[in-house]
Amino acid sequence: MTRRVAVIGGGSSGLACIKSCLDEGLEPVCYESGDDIGGLWRFKENPEPDRASIYHSVIINTSKEMMCFSDFPIPANFPNYMHNSLIMDYFRMYADHFQLTKHIRFNTKVLQVRQRSDFSHSGQWDVETENKDGKTEKHIFDAVMICIGHHCHPNLPLHDFPGIDTFEGTYFHSRDYKTPEEWRNKKAVVIGIGNSGGDIAVELSRVTKQLYLSTRRGAWILNRVGDNGFPLDLHLKRVLDFLQLILPFGVFCGLAERQLNQRFDHALYNLKPKHRLFSQHPTVNDELPNRILSGTVQVKPNIRRLQGSSVEFDDGSVVEDVDLVVFATGYRFSFPFLASHVTSVSGNKASLYKYVFPPELERPTLAIIGLVQPLGAIMPISEMQARWATRVFKGCTKLPSVASMLKDVQCKQETMAKRYVPSQRHTIQVDYLNYMDEIAGLLGVRPNIPRLLLTDPRLGLKVLFGPGTPYQYRLKGPGKWAGARQAIFTQWERVAQPMQTRPCDDPKTKRSFMWPLILSAAVVGWAAYVNRNNFPAYLQDPTALLDKMKVYLPAQ
């Protein structure tokens, strides 16, 4: 019998799970509480309960070649950094191409997921659902994939802000922010300098009377535009990953911080944190330095208290007549439909093997997909997790012993605690290439670079020195894709195409005589030095000097 798999959530991770199930001959049934695919990236004017909601202008901060699904490149004419509406277009193309939508039950909420009485033998689950009419149903599944992400419940720490109950203006979480127009000529404070906080601060500052950006620790600011104008994340390369492994952490951070400070001095802009660059999830924002430089954004420390319409900061400064406070303070995740003994969440921490499998389940038939915060794109990581999980469900790939899995979980938690600033943000951090290679190794699809360099040198060099694009994980093993090699060879063409919107002929280079002149002068100088003792004789007979020089000059 075909094994049935419940997929909870129809966002990017859910789509990858449906596709992976189909690839492995499993029967997926996806439950999506909303009326459309897309999850986080589906813009809605009115936020839905227990899920993140984006603002109208959101543009993703990972480039298209790094964020695409590994066997379905994003169209060449799409921009490198896409608006949320284009991301939705891509998801629809993906779903249509692989016929995924017919496996999704929209407007269906999952109420409960629990182990069946014979779980130790069957590994099966009872899944209870409710449709939009309030009708409940119970289903039996052989496996479950949870794809609700980590942007579930807004983190609104009002207890940390004395006097918030007296504030006369408006305050809300960043998920409730949509457009800036209603705040024209007002004073606004944004709390938090993560990606949402930075984006909202920049956008509001174009219309507000003054925008104050409050941050406890400061942040290192990355730019989407990297060297030579290429997307920054295309610098995520294996050769740099190797450099990170061999260099001391402080040295590697120092090199990168120096480069960031060449763009703008973080101390001068009041942004420099005490922590190192790779000790916090970095903020990507192209416009924030310009907004600070033009005075429309003022960087302030943490808020000490609010009183009426005034806001006092930790440095003693007070801003009067504040109209709006936006809490860009992140999210908390949970799994309310799961029993706590299956997997528990405390302080935004969940004990999961490789961030996917609860290590102490008797049967490995539950996988949590996309519960990571990568320094890079999430879509290929979710897809890789889904490919691995479906192979585990089928029994093609085995998990190690419980003791080994628990040891791995503890090791990862200790490594993270050592590297990152203590924060609820830094409980599920992974480095893109390291983590992709780790899961790919378990799945049997990790590129073998020495072998590639021997058997296909051109491809091997591109994999080693080029960007770590997802196509590399379709070159071999389960799920091998015949188009992977070609996708790697044409990735730079897809990067360049959307920018080629007008003819731009390079001017013909004129022949330069500079280097021949320099070379000739060097030859004359050298000949004069070698024959310095005969110099008086050459002055009397210059033809003798010319004859000597002809030996060293290029033949005509």
PDB file of all heavy atoms in Angstrom, residues 55-89:
ATOM      1  N   TYR A  55       4.376  43.169   5.029  1.00  0.00           N
ATOM      2  CA  TYR A  55       3.921  44.466   4.562  1.00  0.00           C
ATOM      3  C   TYR A  55       4.014  44.514   3.038  1.00  0.00           C
ATOM      4  O   TYR A  55       4.677  43.679   2.407  1.00  0.00           O
ATOM      5  CB  TYR A  55       4.708  45.606   5.207  1.00  0.00           C
ATOM      6  CG  TYR A  55       6.172  45.311   5.437  1.00  0.00           C
ATOM      7  CD1 TYR A  55       7.152  45.766   4.568  1.00  0.00           C
ATOM      8  CD2 TYR A  55       6.566  44.537   6.539  1.00  0.00           C
ATOM      9  CE1 TYR A  55       8.481  45.479   4.784  1.00  0.00           C
ATOM     10  CE2 TYR A  55       7.902  44.244   6.758  1.00  0.00           C
ATOM     11  CZ  TYR A  55       8.858  44.719   5.877  1.00  0.00           C
ATOM     12  OH  TYR A  55      10.176  44.412   6.085  1.00  0.00           O
ATOM     13  N   HIS A  56       3.333  45.477   2.468  1.00  0.00           N
ATOM     14  CA  HIS A  56       3.120  45.492   1.018  1.00  0.00           C
ATOM     15  C   HIS A  56       4.417  45.548   0.222  1.00  0.00           C
ATOM     16  O   HIS A  56       4.532  44.968  -0.855  1.00  0.00           O
ATOM     17  CB  HIS A  56       2.236  46.684   0.645  1.00  0.00           C
ATOM     18  CG  HIS A  56       1.828  46.703  -0.793  1.00  0.00           C
ATOM     19  ND1 HIS A  56       2.537  47.371  -1.760  1.00  0.00           N
ATOM     20  CD2 HIS A  56       0.789  46.095  -1.436  1.00  0.00           C
ATOM     21  CE1 HIS A  56       1.955  47.189  -2.936  1.00  0.00           C
ATOM     22  NE2 HIS A  56       0.898  46.427  -2.768  1.00  0.00           N
ATOM     23  N   SER A  57       5.421  46.241   0.730  1.00  0.00           N
ATOM     24  CA  SER A  57       6.624  46.522  -0.069  1.00  0.00           C
ATOM     25  C   SER A  57       7.729  45.483   0.088  1.00  0.00           C
ATOM     26  O   SER A  57       8.812  45.662  -0.480  1.00  0.00           O
ATOM     27  CB  SER A  57       7.187  47.894   0.323  1.00  0.00           C
ATOM     28  OG  SER A  57       7.556  47.887   1.699  1.00  0.00           O
ATOM     29  N   VAL A  58       7.504  44.403   0.820  1.00  0.00           N
ATOM     30  CA  VAL A  58       8.584  43.461   1.148  1.00  0.00           C
ATOM     31  C   VAL A  58       9.260  42.915  -0.104  1.00  0.00           C
ATOM     32  O   VAL A  58       8.614  42.407  -1.017  1.00  0.00           O
ATOM     33  CB  VAL A  58       8.057  42.284   1.990  1.00  0.00           C
ATOM     34  CG1 VAL A  58       9.097  41.177   2.067  1.00  0.00           C
ATOM     35  CG2 VAL A  58       7.729  42.748   3.394  1.00  0.00           C
ATOM     36  N   ILE A  59      10.582  43.033  -0.108  1.00  0.00           N
ATOM     37  CA  ILE A  59      11.435  42.418  -1.134  1.00  0.00           C
ATOM     38  C   ILE A  59      12.363  41.457  -0.409  1.00  0.00           C
ATOM     39  O   ILE A  59      12.957  41.805   0.616  1.00  0.00           O
ATOM     40  CB  ILE A  59      12.232  43.477  -1.910  1.00  0.00           C
ATOM     41  CG1 ILE A  59      11.281  44.314  -2.775  1.00  0.00           C
ATOM     42  CG2 ILE A  59      13.311  42.828  -2.779  1.00  0.00           C
ATOM     43  CD1 ILE A  59      11.947  45.472  -3.487  1.00  0.00           C
ATOM     44  N   ILE A  60      12.473  40.256  -0.910  1.00  0.00           N
ATOM     45  CA  ILE A  60      13.269  39.230  -0.241  1.00  0.00           C
ATOM     46  C   ILE A  60      14.744  39.627  -0.236  1.00  0.00           C
ATOM     47  O   ILE A  60      15.215  40.352  -1.125  1.00  0.00           O
ATOM     48  CB  ILE A  60      13.057  37.859  -0.933  1.00  0.00           C
ATOM     49  CG1 ILE A  60      13.499  36.721  -0.018  1.00  0.00           C
ATOM     50  CG2 ILE A  60      13.761  37.802  -2.294  1.00  0.00           C
ATOM     51  CD1 ILE A  60      13.025  35.354  -0.464  1.00  0.00           C
ATOM     52  N   ASN A  61      15.493  39.171   0.772  1.00  0.00           N
ATOM     53  CA  ASN A  61      16.911  39.550   0.850  1.00  0.00           C
ATOM     54  C   ASN A  61      17.849  38.402   0.481  1.00  0.00           C
ATOM     55  O   ASN A  61      19.036  38.455   0.782  1.00  0.00           O
ATOM     56  CB  ASN A  61      17.250  40.110   2.233  1.00  0.00           C
ATOM     57  CG  ASN A  61      16.904  39.169   3.364  1.00  0.00           C
ATOM     58  OD1 ASN A  61      16.889  37.953   3.174  1.00  0.00           O
ATOM     59  ND2 ASN A  61      16.611  39.714   4.530  1.00  0.00           N
ATOM     60  N   THR A  62      17.310  37.362  -0.161  1.00  0.00           N
ATOM     61  CA  THR A  62      18.160  36.338  -0.769  1.00  0.00           C
ATOM     62  C   THR A  62      17.884  36.341  -2.274  1.00  0.00           C
ATOM     63  O   THR A  62      16.752  36.514  -2.697  1.00  0.00           O
ATOM     64  CB  THR A  62      17.868  34.942  -0.183  1.00  0.00           C
ATOM     65  OG1 THR A  62      16.471  34.674  -0.249  1.00  0.00           O
ATOM     66  CG2 THR A  62      18.321  34.860   1.257  1.00  0.00           C
ATOM     67  N   SER A  63      18.933  36.155  -3.066  1.00  0.00           N
ATOM     68  CA  SER A  63      18.784  36.303  -4.518  1.00  0.00           C
ATOM     69  C   SER A  63      18.188  35.040  -5.140  1.00  0.00           C
ATOM     70  O   SER A  63      18.227  33.951  -4.569  1.00  0.00           O
ATOM     71  CB  SER A  63      20.136  36.623  -5.165  1.00  0.00           C
ATOM     72  OG  SER A  63      21.010  35.516  -5.075  1.00  0.00           O
ATOM     73  N   LYS A  64      17.648  35.193  -6.337  1.00  0.00           N
ATOM     74  CA  LYS A  64      16.846  34.124  -6.950  1.00  0.00           C
ATOM     75  C   LYS A  64      17.637  32.843  -7.205  1.00  0.00           C
ATOM     76  O   LYS A  64      17.092  31.744  -7.063  1.00  0.00           O
ATOM     77  CB  LYS A  64      16.214  34.613  -8.248  1.00  0.00           C
ATOM     78  CG  LYS A  64      17.192  34.931  -9.377  1.00  0.00           C
ATOM     79  CD  LYS A  64      16.463  35.347 -10.637  1.00  0.00           C
ATOM     80  CE  LYS A  64      17.420  35.593 -11.784  1.00  0.00           C
ATOM     81  NZ  LYS A  64      16.711  35.999 -13.017  1.00  0.00           N
ATOM     82  N   GLU A  65      18.915  32.948  -7.565  1.00  0.00           N
ATOM     83  CA  GLU A  65      19.684  31.736  -7.842  1.00  0.00           C
ATOM     84  C   GLU A  65      19.980  30.949  -6.570  1.00  0.00           C
ATOM     85  O   GLU A  65      20.161  29.738  -6.619  1.00  0.00           O
ATOM     86  CB  GLU A  65      20.995  32.085  -8.556  1.00  0.00           C
ATOM     87  CG  GLU A  65      20.820  32.544  -9.987  1.00  0.00           C
ATOM     88  CD  GLU A  65      20.152  31.485 -10.864  1.00  0.00           C
ATOM     89  OE1 GLU A  65      20.686  30.374 -10.973  1.00  0.00           O
ATOM     90  OE2 GLU A  65      19.083  31.773 -11.444  1.00  0.00           O
ATOM     91  N   MET A  66      20.026  31.644  -5.432  1.00  0.00           N
ATOM     92  CA  MET A  66      20.308  30.972  -4.169  1.00  0.00           C
ATOM     93  C   MET A  66      19.041  30.468  -3.479  1.00  0.00           C
ATOM     94  O   MET A  66      19.102  29.601  -2.613  1.00  0.00           O
ATOM     95  CB  MET A  66      21.060  31.916  -3.219  1.00  0.00           C
ATOM     96  CG  MET A  66      22.438  32.310  -3.705  1.00  0.00           C
ATOM     97  SD  MET A  66      23.575  30.922  -3.892  1.00  0.00           S
ATOM     98  CE  MET A  66      23.817  30.430  -2.191  1.00  0.00           C
ATOM     99  N   MET A  67      17.870  31.014  -3.831  1.00  0.00           N
ATOM    100  CA  MET A  67      16.641  30.674  -3.104  1.00  0.00           C
ATOM    101  C   MET A  67      15.722  29.723  -3.856  1.00  0.00           C
ATOM    102  O   MET A  67      14.730  29.273  -3.313  1.00  0.00           O
ATOM    103  CB  MET A  67      15.862  31.946  -2.763  1.00  0.00           C
ATOM    104  CG  MET A  67      15.343  32.690  -3.981  1.00  0.00           C
ATOM    105  SD  MET A  67      14.007  33.850  -3.609  1.00  0.00           S
ATOM    106  CE  MET A  67      12.589  32.749  -3.665  1.00  0.00           C
ATOM    107  N   CYS A  68      16.028  29.398  -5.101  1.00  0.00           N
ATOM    108  CA  CYS A  68      15.094  28.601  -5.892  1.00  0.00           C
ATOM    109  C   CYS A  68      15.116  27.136  -5.460  1.00  0.00           C
ATOM    110  O   CYS A  68      16.062  26.664  -4.824  1.00  0.00           O
ATOM    111  CB  CYS A  68      15.439  28.709  -7.375  1.00  0.00           C
ATOM    112  SG  CYS A  68      17.017  27.982  -7.805  1.00  0.00           S
ATOM    113  N   PHE A  69      14.061  26.420  -5.801  1.00  0.00           N
ATOM    114  CA  PHE A  69      14.057  24.974  -5.611  1.00  0.00           C
ATOM    115  C   PHE A  69      15.063  24.361  -6.585  1.00  0.00           C
ATOM    116  O   PHE A  69      15.247  24.853  -7.702  1.00  0.00           O
ATOM    117  CB  PHE A  69      12.654  24.419  -5.837  1.00  0.00           C
ATOM    118  CG  PHE A  69      11.653  24.901  -4.817  1.00  0.00           C
ATOM    119  CD1 PHE A  69      10.593  25.717  -5.192  1.00  0.00           C
ATOM    120  CD2 PHE A  69      11.770  24.547  -3.487  1.00  0.00           C
ATOM    121  CE1 PHE A  69       9.665  26.160  -4.263  1.00  0.00           C
ATOM    122  CE2 PHE A  69      10.850  24.990  -2.541  1.00  0.00           C
ATOM    123  CZ  PHE A  69       9.798  25.807  -2.923  1.00  0.00           C
ATOM    124  N   SER A  70      15.704  23.273  -6.154  1.00  0.00           N
ATOM    125  CA  SER A  70      16.914  22.808  -6.828  1.00  0.00           C
ATOM    126  C   SER A  70      16.694  22.232  -8.221  1.00  0.00           C
ATOM    127  O   SER A  70      17.646  22.084  -8.980  1.00  0.00           O
ATOM    128  CB  SER A  70      17.617  21.761  -5.957  1.00  0.00           C
ATOM    129  OG  SER A  70      16.746  20.673  -5.698  1.00  0.00           O
ATOM    130  N   ASP A  71      15.451  21.892  -8.573  1.00  0.00           N
ATOM    131  CA  ASP A  71      15.209  21.362  -9.921  1.00  0.00           C
ATOM    132  C   ASP A  71      14.215  22.238 -10.689  1.00  0.00           C
ATOM    133  O   ASP A  71      13.577  21.780 -11.635  1.00  0.00           O
ATOM    134  CB  ASP A  71      14.704  19.916  -9.869  1.00  0.00           C
ATOM    135  CG  ASP A  71      13.447  19.755  -9.013  1.00  0.00           C
ATOM    136  OD1 ASP A  71      13.018  20.760  -8.405  1.00  0.00           O
ATOM    137  OD2 ASP A  71      12.905  18.636  -8.941  1.00  0.00           O
ATOM    138  N   PHE A  72      14.110  23.508 -10.271  1.00  0.00           N
ATOM    139  CA  PHE A  72      13.171  24.406 -10.933  1.00  0.00           C
ATOM    140  C   PHE A  72      13.694  25.846 -10.827  1.00  0.00           C
ATOM    141  O   PHE A  72      13.259  26.620  -9.976  1.00  0.00           O
ATOM    142  CB  PHE A  72      11.780  24.284 -10.292  1.00  0.00           C
ATOM    143  CG  PHE A  72      10.675  24.886 -11.114  1.00  0.00           C
ATOM    144  CD1 PHE A  72      10.232  24.268 -12.271  1.00  0.00           C
ATOM    145  CD2 PHE A  72      10.077  26.083 -10.735  1.00  0.00           C
ATOM    146  CE1 PHE A  72       9.207  24.824 -13.030  1.00  0.00           C
ATOM    147  CE2 PHE A  72       9.057  26.644 -11.480  1.00  0.00           C
ATOM    148  CZ  PHE A  72       8.607  26.010 -12.635  1.00  0.00           C
ATOM    149  N   PRO A  73      14.656  26.222 -11.705  1.00  0.00           N
ATOM    150  CA  PRO A  73      15.228  27.572 -11.634  1.00  0.00           C
ATOM    151  C   PRO A  73      14.161  28.650 -11.802  1.00  0.00           C
ATOM    152  O   PRO A  73      13.197  28.485 -12.555  1.00  0.00           O
ATOM    153  CB  PRO A  73      16.220  27.595 -12.801  1.00  0.00           C
ATOM    154  CG  PRO A  73      16.523  26.163 -13.090  1.00  0.00           C
ATOM    155  CD  PRO A  73      15.279  25.410 -12.770  1.00  0.00           C
ATOM    156  N   ILE A  74      14.355  29.750 -11.113  1.00  0.00           N
ATOM    157  CA  ILE A  74      13.476  30.906 -11.272  1.00  0.00           C
ATOM    158  C   ILE A  74      13.714  31.496 -12.665  1.00  0.00           C
ATOM    159  O   ILE A  74      14.863  31.545 -13.135  1.00  0.00           O
ATOM    160  CB  ILE A  74      13.754  31.943 -10.162  1.00  0.00           C
ATOM    161  CG1 ILE A  74      13.320  31.349  -8.810  1.00  0.00           C
ATOM    162  CG2 ILE A  74      13.026  33.260 -10.414  1.00  0.00           C
ATOM    163  CD1 ILE A  74      13.680  32.186  -7.601  1.00  0.00           C
ATOM    164  N   PRO A  75      12.662  31.932 -13.372  1.00  0.00           N
ATOM    165  CA  PRO A  75      12.840  32.446 -14.735  1.00  0.00           C
ATOM    166  C   PRO A  75      13.931  33.507 -14.835  1.00  0.00           C
ATOM    167  O   PRO A  75      14.088  34.341 -13.933  1.00  0.00           O
ATOM    168  CB  PRO A  75      11.466  33.043 -15.066  1.00  0.00           C
ATOM    169  CG  PRO A  75      10.507  32.241 -14.248  1.00  0.00           C
ATOM    170  CD  PRO A  75      11.236  31.924 -12.972  1.00  0.00           C
ATOM    171  N   ALA A  76      14.657  33.467 -15.942  1.00  0.00           N
ATOM    172  CA  ALA A  76      15.803  34.358 -16.132  1.00  0.00           C
ATOM    173  C   ALA A  76      15.403  35.828 -16.112  1.00  0.00           C
ATOM    174  O   ALA A  76      16.189  36.684 -15.696  1.00  0.00           O
ATOM    175  CB  ALA A  76      16.510  34.024 -17.443  1.00  0.00           C
ATOM    176  N   ASN A  77      14.183  36.140 -16.555  1.00  0.00           N
ATOM    177  CA  ASN A  77      13.781  37.548 -16.624  1.00  0.00           C
ATOM    178  C   ASN A  77      13.322  38.109 -15.278  1.00  0.00           C
ATOM    179  O   ASN A  77      13.124  39.305 -15.133  1.00  0.00           O
ATOM    180  CB  ASN A  77      12.661  37.722 -17.654  1.00  0.00           C
ATOM    181  CG  ASN A  77      11.398  36.959 -17.271  1.00  0.00           C
ATOM    182  OD1 ASN A  77      11.440  35.754 -17.039  1.00  0.00           O
ATOM    183  ND2 ASN A  77      10.274  37.651 -17.205  1.00  0.00           N
ATOM    184  N   PHE A  78      13.155  37.261 -14.256  1.00  0.00           N
ATOM    185  CA  PHE A  78      12.782  37.747 -12.925  1.00  0.00           C
ATOM    186  C   PHE A  78      13.975  38.476 -12.306  1.00  0.00           C
ATOM    187  O   PHE A  78      15.119  38.060 -12.492  1.00  0.00           O
ATOM    188  CB  PHE A  78      12.370  36.586 -12.024  1.00  0.00           C
ATOM    189  CG  PHE A  78      10.936  36.154 -12.171  1.00  0.00           C
ATOM    190  CD1 PHE A  78      10.317  36.152 -13.413  1.00  0.00           C
ATOM    191  CD2 PHE A  78      10.192  35.729 -11.081  1.00  0.00           C
ATOM    192  CE1 PHE A  78       8.992  35.749 -13.568  1.00  0.00           C
ATOM    193  CE2 PHE A  78       8.876  35.323 -11.206  1.00  0.00           C
ATOM    194  CZ  PHE A  78       8.275  35.336 -12.456  1.00  0.00           C
ATOM    195  N   PRO A  79      13.727  39.542 -11.542  1.00  0.00           N
ATOM    196  CA  PRO A  79      14.843  40.256 -10.899  1.00  0.00           C
ATOM    197  C   PRO A  79      15.546  39.366  -9.885  1.00  0.00           C
ATOM    198  O   PRO A  79      14.975  38.383  -9.381  1.00  0.00           O
ATOM    199  CB  PRO A  79      14.165  41.446 -10.212  1.00  0.00           C
ATOM    200  CG  PRO A  79      12.748  41.040 -10.044  1.00  0.00           C
ATOM    201  CD  PRO A  79      12.423  40.151 -11.215  1.00  0.00           C
ATOM    202  N   ASN A  80      16.779  39.727  -9.577  1.00  0.00           N
ATOM    203  CA  ASN A  80      17.560  38.909  -8.646  1.00  0.00           C
ATOM    204  C   ASN A  80      16.975  38.928  -7.242  1.00  0.00           C
ATOM    205  O   ASN A  80      16.971  37.916  -6.546  1.00  0.00           O
ATOM    206  CB  ASN A  80      19.014  39.368  -8.639  1.00  0.00           C
ATOM    207  CG  ASN A  80      19.750  38.924  -9.882  1.00  0.00           C
ATOM    208  OD1 ASN A  80      20.155  37.774 -10.000  1.00  0.00           O
ATOM    209  ND2 ASN A  80      19.902  39.825 -10.841  1.00  0.00           N
ATOM    210  N   TYR A  81      16.519  40.088  -6.807  1.00  0.00           N
ATOM    211  CA  TYR A  81      15.823  40.188  -5.515  1.00  0.00           C
ATOM    212  C   TYR A  81      14.364  40.509  -5.817  1.00  0.00           C
ATOM    213  O   TYR A  81      14.056  41.556  -6.372  1.00  0.00           O
ATOM    214  CB  TYR A  81      16.446  41.274  -4.638  1.00  0.00           C
ATOM    215  CG  TYR A  81      17.831  40.928  -4.143  1.00  0.00           C
ATOM    216  CD1 TYR A  81      18.969  41.537  -4.679  1.00  0.00           C
ATOM    217  CD2 TYR A  81      18.018  39.989  -3.128  1.00  0.00           C
ATOM    218  CE1 TYR A  81      20.232  41.229  -4.217  1.00  0.00           C
ATOM    219  CE2 TYR A  81      19.281  39.671  -2.668  1.00  0.00           C
ATOM    220  CZ  TYR A  81      20.389  40.297  -3.213  1.00  0.00           C
ATOM    221  OH  TYR A  81      21.643  39.980  -2.751  1.00  0.00           O
ATOM    222  N   MET A  82      13.477  39.611  -5.417  1.00  0.00           N
ATOM    223  CA  MET A  82      12.105  39.687  -5.901  1.00  0.00           C
ATOM    224  C   MET A  82      11.150  40.292  -4.869  1.00  0.00           C
ATOM    225  O   MET A  82      11.266  40.041  -3.668  1.00  0.00           O
ATOM    226  CB  MET A  82      11.614  38.290  -6.273  1.00  0.00           C
ATOM    227  CG  MET A  82      12.423  37.662  -7.397  1.00  0.00           C
ATOM    228  SD  MET A  82      11.694  36.098  -7.944  1.00  0.00           S
ATOM    229  CE  MET A  82      11.974  35.057  -6.519  1.00  0.00           C
ATOM    230  N   HIS A  83      10.188  41.057  -5.375  1.00  0.00           N
ATOM    231  CA  HIS A  83       9.069  41.534  -4.569  1.00  0.00           C
ATOM    232  C   HIS A  83       8.214  40.327  -4.184  1.00  0.00           C
ATOM    233  O   HIS A  83       8.197  39.306  -4.887  1.00  0.00           O
ATOM    234  CB  HIS A  83       8.246  42.542  -5.372  1.00  0.00           C
ATOM    235  CG  HIS A  83       7.112  43.155  -4.620  1.00  0.00           C
ATOM    236  ND1 HIS A  83       5.811  42.698  -4.731  1.00  0.00           N
ATOM    237  CD2 HIS A  83       7.072  44.180  -3.729  1.00  0.00           C
ATOM    238  CE1 HIS A  83       5.026  43.428  -3.948  1.00  0.00           C
ATOM    239  NE2 HIS A  83       5.767  44.328  -3.326  1.00  0.00           N
ATOM    240  N   ASN A  84       7.493  40.440  -3.078  1.00  0.00           N
ATOM    241  CA  ASN A  84       6.711  39.295  -2.595  1.00  0.00           C
ATOM    242  C   ASN A  84       5.706  38.783  -3.634  1.00  0.00           C
ATOM    243  O   ASN A  84       5.404  37.593  -3.672  1.00  0.00           O
ATOM    244  CB  ASN A  84       6.010  39.626  -1.277  1.00  0.00           C
ATOM    245  CG  ASN A  84       5.094  40.828  -1.377  1.00  0.00           C
ATOM    246  OD1 ASN A  84       3.939  40.719  -1.799  1.00  0.00           O
ATOM    247  ND2 ASN A  84       5.575  41.997  -0.983  1.00  0.00           N
ATOM    248  N   SER A  85       5.194  39.668  -4.484  1.00  0.00           N
ATOM    249  CA  SER A  85       4.241  39.229  -5.508  1.00  0.00           C
ATOM    250  C   SER A  85       4.908  38.320  -6.543  1.00  0.00           C
ATOM    251  O   SER A  85       4.294  37.365  -7.040  1.00  0.00           O
ATOM    252  CB  SER A  85       3.616  40.439  -6.206  1.00  0.00           C
ATOM    253  OG  SER A  85       4.617  41.248  -6.819  1.00  0.00           O
ATOM    254  N   LEU A  86       6.177  38.580  -6.858  1.00  0.00           N
ATOM    255  CA  LEU A  86       6.900  37.725  -7.797  1.00  0.00           C
ATOM    256  C   LEU A  86       7.267  36.387  -7.167  1.00  0.00           C
ATOM    257  O   LEU A  86       7.308  35.353  -7.861  1.00  0.00           O
ATOM    258  CB  LEU A  86       8.161  38.440  -8.295  1.00  0.00           C
ATOM    259  CG  LEU A  86       7.931  39.602  -9.261  1.00  0.00           C
ATOM    260  CD1 LEU A  86       9.247  40.283  -9.593  1.00  0.00           C
ATOM    261  CD2 LEU A  86       7.257  39.103 -10.544  1.00  0.00           C
ATOM    262  N   ILE A  87       7.528  36.398  -5.878  1.00  0.00           N
ATOM    263  CA  ILE A  87       7.782  35.133  -5.180  1.00  0.00           C
ATOM    264  C   ILE A  87       6.535  34.253  -5.257  1.00  0.00           C
ATOM    265  O   ILE A  87       6.617  33.046  -5.515  1.00  0.00           O
ATOM    266  CB  ILE A  87       8.182  35.397  -3.716  1.00  0.00           C
ATOM    267  CG1 ILE A  87       9.522  36.140  -3.668  1.00  0.00           C
ATOM    268  CG2 ILE A  87       8.282  34.084  -2.933  1.00  0.00           C
ATOM    269  CD1 ILE A  87       9.924  36.614  -2.291  1.00  0.00           C
ATOM    270  N   MET A  88       5.380  34.875  -5.066  1.00  0.00           N
ATOM    271  CA  MET A  88       4.126  34.119  -5.195  1.00  0.00           C
ATOM    272  C   MET A  88       3.947  33.597  -6.619  1.00  0.00           C
ATOM    273  O   MET A  88       3.504  32.450  -6.826  1.00  0.00           O
ATOM    274  CB  MET A  88       2.947  35.015  -4.805  1.00  0.00           C
ATOM    275  CG  MET A  88       2.805  35.233  -3.313  1.00  0.00           C
ATOM    276  SD  MET A  88       2.461  33.700  -2.411  1.00  0.00           S
ATOM    277  CE  MET A  88       0.855  33.261  -3.079  1.00  0.00           C
ATOM    278  N   ASP A  89       4.312  34.397  -7.617  1.00  0.00           N
ATOM    279  CA  ASP A  89       4.235  33.930  -9.012  1.00  0.00           C
ATOM    280  C   ASP A  89       5.102  32.694  -9.210  1.00  0.00           C
ATOM    281  O   ASP A  89       4.698  31.725  -9.877  1.00  0.00           O
ATOM    282  CB  ASP A  89       4.681  35.040  -9.968  1.00  0.00           C
ATOM    283  CG  ASP A  89       3.669  36.166 -10.086  1.00  0.00           C
ATOM    284  OD1 ASP A  89       2.518  35.980  -9.638  1.00  0.00           O
ATOM    285  OD2 ASP A  89       4.032  37.236 -10.615  1.00  0.00           O
TER     286      ASP A  89
END
